[in-house]
Amino acid sequence: ELAKPPVALTIALLKAAKRFVATIALENNTGLDAAESHVADVSNFLRGYPAPLLAAARDWDKIGAAVDAVFVHLPKVRQSRFYDLDRLARLLEATTLTLRERMEGTLREEYKGNGIVLGLDYAQYERAVRGPTQDVFVVFDASFQTFSEFF
């Protein structure tokens, strides 16, 4: 890593400025290897995380499939040495916020955000609104239960 042009330039500038202590510290113990392994490990776990799939979902089937894909991916955290359960819980929390936004956005797109859903009769509401949203919640609850038992 010290041979890369930006790092070599920094070391040359430090030497020219007679900053020998900083130069020695940079040359001897940068911690780059540990940082690179940490970043590689975390990015390897997050690489396949289906957050873009959830964020792009525009209908109930795609939202449900994205939620399922999220929970299929989460057990892969065991392959990571640096991605701990606390961090995974925060990732899941952020994912549920995205899920809420997508569900709200889908309802707004379908009903134009002007309260038309309130004017539906109950049978139509059950079929068009409650059923699809309930399906997403059932998938989430079942997957979360399985995930909780896994850990």
Side-chain angles (χ1 to χ4, degrees), residues 6-137:
V7 178
L9 176 64
T10 303
I11 291 174
L13 289 172
L14 288 171
K15 285 181 180 178
K18 299 184 185 204
R19 303 286 186 191
F20 298 116
V21 174
T23 305
I24 291 170
L26 186 62
E27 287 177 337
N28 291 337
N29 187 15
T30 59
L32 283 177
D33 293 335
E36 280 183 345
S37 68
H38 185 89
V39 168
D41 184 61
V42 170
S43 67
N44 189 33
F45 168 67
L46 291 176
R47 184 172 297 120
Y49 193 71
L53 183 66
L54 180 60
R58 297 284 185 245
D59 62 42
W60 300 114
D61 292 334
K62 289 180 182 175
I63 291 172
V67 167
D68 194 41
V70 164
F71 282 102
V72 165
H73 185 80
L74 288 179
K76 294 179 183 175
V77 75
R78 289 192 170 192
Q79 298 169 355
S80 174
R81 293 181 312 162
F82 298 107
Y83 212 89
D84 60 358
L85 290 179
D86 182 49
R87 201 166 174 189
L88 185 66
R90 288 182 294 179
L91 176 66
L92 189 57
E93 180 181 1
T95 302
T96 58
L97 291 174
T98 304
L99 172 64
R100 183 199 59 82
E101 290 170 359
R102 279 310 332 129
M103 290 181 73
E104 180 182 342
T106 301
L107 283 172
R108 287 186 189 277
E109 288 171 12
E110 286 184 16
Y111 297 101
K112 308 299 182 230
N114 59 7
I116 294 176
V117 71
L118 297 176
L120 298 175
D121 63 6
Y122 187 73
Q124 190 177 7
Y125 166 79
E126 280 282 325
R127 181 181 42 76
V129 178
R130 186 175 181 271
T133 56
Q134 190 69 20
D135 291 345
V136 172
F137 288 128

